[in-house]
Amino acid sequence: MAYVPLADQDKEMEMHHPHNWVEEYVFSQDHKVIAIQYGSIAVFTGIVGLTLSVLFRLQLGFPESVDFIDPNFYYQAVTMHGMIMVVYFLTALFLGGFGNYMIPLMCGARDMVFPFMNMLSVWTFLISVIILMASFFVGGGPTGAGWTLYPPQTAMEGTPGHDMGIVLMLISLAVFIIATTMGGLNYAVTVLQYRCRGLTMMRLPLTVWGIFVATVLALFAFPALLVAAIMMLFDTLLGTSFFMPAVIEAGQPLDHNGGSPLLFQHLFWFFGHPEVYIVALPAFGLVSDVLSTHARKNIFGYRMMVWAIVAIGGLSFIVWAHHMYVSGMHPYFGFFFATTTLIIAVPTAMKVYNWVLTLWEGDIRLNAPMYFAIGFIFTFIHGGLTGLFLGNVVIDLPLSDTYFVIAHFHMVMGVSPILVLFAAIYHWYPLMSGRMFNEKIAKLHFWLTFLGAYAIYLPMHYLGFLGVPRRYYVLGETDFIPMSAQDLNAAITIAAIFVAVAQLLFFWNIIWSLKHGKKAEKNPWGSASLEWQTPDLPPKHGNWGEDLPTVYRWAYDYSVPGAHEDFIPQNTPESVEPTVDTEHFDPDHDQSKADI
Amino acid sequence: MSVFKHLAVKPWERKGIIGGLKPEGAFDSPAERVALSFFLVIASVVFSLFTVSYFIRMELPDWQPLSEPAQLWFNTGLLVLSSVFFQWARSASNSEQPKNLITAFIGGGVFAILFIAGQLMTWESLQAGGYYLTSNPANAFYYLMTGLHAVHLLGGLWVWSKSSLRLLSGAEAKEVRLSIELCTVYWHFLLVVWLVLFAVLANT
Ligand code: HEM
Ligand SMILES: [Cu+2]
């Protein structure tokens, strides 16, 4: 099998075959190995981010109880936590991890279009993580300017890491963007060009749609961060004044003059808002497939789901300034962005309805992946609703920079995508490892995580209403915050430690099951989509053995009336599994119900 | 492209093989060309954001317009020549018996290198004239934007050098045809970017 076409329509191309151990597992060009590498590095950064959060929660819950947590350390921990979780953990895991694993399999291709560039991408990503982590060890430590890195704060004497820390952060981000661009070109072009015979765009599982649109967002939004990072590097290292205004620090004027901090905010959020959907859209896609498979029903309103993904992707570029309502913008400007922000909630809400309607009258299998997927619907509705509050300028003004915002984005961007990640990892675990995980432990993991997350974030909404500001080392005394707020903070910290420790169940489960889990049978969930139809489980290098698959139907033929089983794989020809002619099929003899 | 038609399809109704060997919605061109089109959009975003930032920063009171060195006109000529040579190479590579292919292709790259050298000379003359990076935001933008454009050219030259080596070691025209075509497209793109940047810099 030296020469095989990587995909039907492509020229014959030599598939890279590993010659030794190193080429097979280290410098591999197999998308599945790269996916695991990407995923493992991302999870590692996630663990660092989680640890940091436990540390700064200790300070918030029990002020000054831990010796080494001084104000500087607190700010550094908060900053690094935010940036790590958003960029190096979630983005990398969804795009580099799941994108790499799922796209070629779900598209019926042997690999990505540019396997070598794919390998470069993961190693570049590793370098960016090393640079980031190096900032913990340089003099002055990592930057403590908040994950939004607003100037002039980043460069001020009083901000920890204002010299080396911020420089390493910006360089690391630039390197990360190069890695994502190399990966992203691969994902997007693979989806467009390497689908197997018969697999039209509208037959793709929503997972691929979500990752595809998120990739396009990443390709076009990260440049804004790159531009901002380059100009800020110039300001910090070379003394220009793109963003740095004239500042007087400890009585001394700094060398900078006349720069515009607002310009930075615009660039940052022009990247920042699409970024939240770069994380959310893959999660939307993955959860749709998990829900549909375990409800044994086709996803409700497939076309609407695709349109919503595309619409959200487009709209997410024109809402960025809702993060800047308090920056003193012109009221009409705020009005415009409030309107677009509320409009983007419409396709988002449509997706939620469709998830719920997919469950409606389904033959629901309540297993661990399904627990997490349903849990996601709850947390996402919750976080989406608070987003609607914040989207209105007048409501946002008092709530901005309080714990209400923290609660909003953790429900919507922290808890929700992570629940989907767990759902997806459990769901595809048999495919990736060939083993089943321990179902009981997984369910226990769900309840602890789900209830624990509510115990952490629900009270934060209330703290926000009280006016407790975010990014404060200690609360101190105020006229408006009652002393009892501190008790709530302590309770939140205890819940956070609890949830963090509960994740050990997850790690134990997936590691233990690698060796001791029950051997998975082929297609254990009875899934219709292509990734489960490979000749081997887990799929081998090249995925499809001798022949590439041919697709005859969409990815959601579940519980089709008259079929042999309650699912029909995408590569089953019509002759084998005659399908109902939807134009004329009608169980109730009621013509008006035939079309949705 | 009939994107809307595709999006309106009811996939649950249509069964069977659709689209033959190339499934519906795939572009009728090699993956490398599709990837390059994506990259051109990304690069356009980068340059546009710098340009927008330039206009925003320009409004602030400390801005002192820079009078661009006249040498830029000469450099622009070099870059135009470079593009012309690439176009020449491209049409040569399309013919059955390519003539002067090597001259055209290598010539294109050489003019690009001369262009970069010319840009560096403007930097030096600005330095000599006391227009330092930090003395004014207009200067900073000048160095930044010309530098970034040159970096993009260098990236192109890297691909160019690989293809040139293959041509010189006797590769046939059809083996490098795609690479020549993509280089040409990229060069034209960078020429357009440069013309826009030049217009912006010179008129403000
Ligand atoms: C239903 C649609 C949504 C609306 C209307 C909305 C609205 C808002 C608004 C107005 C803010 C700014 C609050 C402030 O700083 O004062 C905000 C913050 C935020 N939102 Fe949303 N949001 C929505 C959905 C999402 C989603 C889906 C995600 C992520 C997956 C997300 C992630 C974030 C993040 C990370 C922040 C805080 C950034 C920071 O200041 O550090 N939001 N949201
Ligand atoms: Cu936003």
Side-chain angles (χ1 to χ4, degrees):
Chain A
M1 203 178 74
Y3 278 87
V4 284
L6 278 185
D8 261 332
Q9 65 273 25
D10 204 63
K11 54 186 186 290
E12 297 257 313
M13 203 167 157
E14 192 178 10
M15 217 167 63
H16 178 85
H17 272 283
H19 302 295
N20 52 40
W21 182 87
V22 175
E23 282 188 19
E24 191 164 346
Y25 296 108
V26 185
F27 295 106
S28 170
Q29 300 190 18
D30 179 355
H31 70 102
K32 298 183 290 301
V33 178
I34 295 179
I36 304 287
Q37 293 172 333
Y38 241 116
S40 314
I41 304 171
V43 168
F44 164 75
T45 64
I47 294 173
V48 175
L50 185 71
T51 314
L52 289 170
S53 74
V54 168
L55 291 177
F56 67 68
R57 264 321 315 178
L58 276 175
Q59 163 62 25
L60 289 170
F62 309 99
E64 265 133 41
S65 61
V66 188
D67 273 346
F68 62 86
I69 306 185
D70 55 6
N72 280 353
F73 182 86
Y74 172 81
Y75 284 114
Q76 291 168 324
V78 178
T79 304
M80 295 301 275
H81 164 79
M83 195 61 101
I84 286 177
M85 289 308 201
V86 171
V87 175
Y88 298 85
F89 172 54
L90 286 175
T91 308
L93 190 47
F94 274 119
L95 298 185
F98 278 95
N100 254 316
Y101 206 93
M102 292 303 161
I103 289 175
L105 280 169
M106 286 185 162
C107 291
R110 293 196 187 277
D111 212 311
M112 290 284 177
V113 266
F114 309 118
F116 181 72
M117 192 161 82
N118 207 19
M119 180 184 81
L120 279 187
S121 167
V122 72
W123 289 101
T124 316
F125 170 53
L126 179 64
I127 294 174
S128 78
V129 170
I130 292 174
I131 299 175
L132 182 80
M133 295 301 166
S135 70
F136 281 104
F137 303 100
V138 296
T143 173
W147 85 281
T148 48
L149 305 180
Y150 281 2
Q153 170 117 52
T154 38
M156 304 289 284
E157 203 57 47
T159 309
H162 64 93
D163 35 23
M164 280 303 281
I166 181 66
V167 170
L168 286 177
M169 167 67 86
L170 295 171
I171 293 177
S172 165
L173 283 173
V175 175
F176 178 88
I177 293 167
I178 295 171
T180 333
T181 307
M182 290 196 287
L185 284 173
N186 247 320
Y187 316 148
V189 180
T190 304
V191 173
L192 287 174
Q193 301 301 94
Y194 266 24
R195 280 166 288 131
C196 65
R197 288 185 75 189
L199 187 55
T200 63
M201 287 299 276
M202 290 305 275
R203 277 177 173 175
L204 286 173
L206 288 173
T207 296
V208 179
W209 268 107
I211 295 178
F212 173 64
V213 176
T215 302
V216 175
L217 291 191
L219 289 177
F220 300 158
F222 270 113
L225 183 63
L226 182 69
V227 168
I230 292 176
M231 295 211 271
M232 194 184 258
L233 267 181
F234 269 61
D235 276 5
T236 330
L237 287 179
L238 304 175
T240 52
S241 303
F242 292 115
F243 302 132
M244 289 297 287
V247 208
I248 295 182
E249 185 175 79
Q252 294 296 319
L254 294 188
D255 281 344
H256 303 282
N257 210 327
S260 167
L262 259 188
L263 175 58
F264 177 87
Q265 294 194 16
H266 280 295
L267 286 171
F268 184 87
W269 288 114
F270 187 75
F271 144 78
H273 188 83
E275 165 64 25
V276 307
Y277 282 100
I278 292 168
V279 171
L281 291 180
F284 291 174
L286 291 161
V287 82
S288 305
D289 287 350
V290 173
L291 284 170
S292 157
T293 309
H294 297 287
R296 315 309 295 162
K297 266 186 71 187
N298 63 299
I299 190 82
F300 189 90
Y302 173 83
R303 285 188 301 170
M304 204 195 275
M305 293 300 246
V306 173
W307 298 339
I309 289 177
V310 175
I312 292 173
L315 285 170
S316 68
F317 279 102
I318 49 167
V319 299
W320 78 89
H322 65 212
H323 295 275
M324 302 163 57
Y325 287 152
V326 291
S327 67
M329 59 173 68
H330 191 284
Y332 285 139
F333 208 61
F335 175 75
F336 172 82
F337 281 99
T339 312
T340 52
T341 302
L342 297 186
I343 290 175
I344 205 172
V346 175
T348 314
M350 277 175 10
K351 295 194 74 77
V352 177
Y353 291 128
N354 286 352
W355 289 320
V356 177
L357 287 169
T358 302
L359 295 176
W360 179 259
E361 295 206 320
D363 177 10
I364 297 179
R365 313 262 158 95
L366 268 183
N367 44 30
M370 196 61 160
Y371 270 43
F372 281 97
I374 296 176
F376 158 83
I377 301 183
F378 280 90
T379 55
F380 189 74
I381 292 180
H382 189 133
L385 284 177
T386 51
L388 287 182
F389 286 73
L390 296 174
N392 293 282
V393 184
V394 278
I395 307 180
D396 182 67
L397 292 185
L399 287 178
S400 189
D401 279 322
T402 68
Y403 266 82
F404 192 82
V405 176
I406 305 280
H408 158 66
F409 72 77
H410 278 87
M411 287 312 276
V412 89
M413 188 174 195
V415 180
S416 301
I418 289 177
L419 288 181
V420 174
L421 279 173
F422 287 133
I425 292 175
Y426 285 126
H427 179 85
W428 279 287
Y429 186 76
L431 179 70
M432 299 179 183
S433 69
R435 303 267 178 175
M436 300 302 285
F437 51 87
N438 182 319
E439 178 80 13
K440 285 218 179 70
I441 305 267
K443 283 183 172 160
L444 179 65
H445 171 222
F446 168 77
W447 284 115
L448 295 181
T449 307
F450 182 74
L451 296 178
Y454 265 99
I456 299 172
Y457 296 111
L458 212 50
M460 286 194 190
H461 294 82
Y462 177 67
L463 289 179
F465 281 139
L466 288 180
V468 176
R470 70 192 279 202
R471 294 177 175 163
Y472 272 46
Y473 172 64
V474 273
L475 269 184
E477 266 182 54
T478 59
D479 294 338
F480 55 96
I481 303 171
M483 289 309 283
S484 57
Q486 191 50 50
D487 300 338
L488 209 48
N489 256 333
I492 292 176
T493 298
I494 292 170
I497 295 175
F498 197 73
V499 172
V501 174
Q503 303 315 308
L504 289 175
L505 287 175
F506 167 75
F507 288 110
W508 179 83
N509 198 350
I510 56 166
I511 293 171
W512 185 84
S513 305
L514 271 185
K515 261 227 150 82
H516 308 283
K518 202 168 85 244
K519 268 227 163 9
E521 48 196 290
K522 259 192 86 181
N523 199 355
W525 314 118
S527 176
S529 48
L530 222 43
E531 81 274 19
W532 294 99
Q533 322 302 337
T534 54
D536 312 283
L537 185 87
K540 295 226 164 69
H541 189 43
N543 294 345
W544 302 103
E546 290 291 295
D547 298 308
L548 286 167
T550 303
V551 161
Y552 300 88
R553 55 191 74 239
W554 70 334
Y556 297 100
D557 265 344
Y558 290 107
S559 307
V560 178
H564 301 324
E565 281 181 281
D566 69 347
F567 70 101
I568 313 176
Q570 278 190 285
N571 54 351
T572 312
E574 299 148 285
S575 48
V576 177
E577 194 75 79
T579 39
V580 185
D581 178 358
T582 26
E583 299 255 313
H584 303 104
F585 170 72
D586 159 27
D588 307 328
H589 299 282
D590 176 356
Q591 205 53 50
S592 65
K593 281 190 187 165
D595 213 352
I596 324 168
Chain B
M1 224 178 42
S2 50
V3 176
F4 291 106
K5 212 184 80 209
H6 283 306
L7 286 175
V9 145
K10 294 181 180 160
W12 52 93
E13 284 184 354
R14 292 174 86 202
K15 310 282 176 196
I17 307 176
I18 305 175
L21 271 183
K22 279 193 202 299
E24 263 178 20
F27 291 97
D28 192 8
S29 60
E32 287 81 2
R33 198 188 290 153
V34 179
L36 180 68
S37 350
F38 268 99
F39 185 75
L40 294 190
V41 181
I42 300 170
S44 317
V45 175
V46 171
F47 284 109
S48 323
L49 287 171
F50 270 118
T51 312
V52 170
S53 307
Y54 181 88
F55 281 116
I56 294 179
R57 186 66 180 81
M58 202 174 88
E59 297 300 312
L60 298 176
D62 63 332
W63 183 276
Q64 284 155 15
L66 179 75
S67 55
E68 277 68 28
Q71 203 202 339
L72 283 185
W73 289 99
F74 180 71
N75 293 354
T76 307
L78 288 175
L79 196 59
V80 171
L81 273 179
S82 170
S83 251
V84 168
F85 268 69
F86 271 105
Q87 185 62 37
W88 181 21
R90 183 181 173 182
S91 31
S93 76
N94 280 335
S95 68
E96 287 298 313
Q97 245 90 47
K99 266 190 276 170
N100 302 331
L101 176 59
I102 297 189
T103 323
F105 190 66
I106 303 226
V110 170
F111 276 113
I113 295 174
L114 290 178
F115 169 82
I116 296 178
Q119 297 289 79
L120 283 176
M121 282 163 66
T122 68
W123 284 18
E124 268 178 15
S125 66
L126 283 178
Q127 294 278 340
Y131 297 98
Y132 300 116
L133 178 80
T134 48
S135 38
N136 197 266
N139 311 355
F141 267 107
Y142 178 85
Y143 289 110
L144 186 58
M145 297 201 332
T146 50
L148 195 78
H149 180 260
V151 167
H152 278 77
L153 263 181
L154 283 177
L157 282 172
W158 181 62
V159 178
W160 166 82
S161 64
K162 287 204 310 189
S163 307
S164 303
L165 283 180
R166 287 179 62 194
L167 266 181
L168 287 175
S169 58
E172 278 190 48
K174 70 170 190 293
E175 291 171 47
V176 281
R177 184 173 294 156
L178 182 63
S179 165
I180 292 179
E181 178 203 319
L182 298 185
C183 279
T184 311
V185 173
Y186 188 59
W187 249 262
H188 292 345
F189 167 78
L190 285 183
L191 176 63
V192 173
V193 169
W194 170 247
L195 292 178
V196 174
L197 287 185
F198 188 25
V200 169
L201 292 170
N203 287 318
T204 47

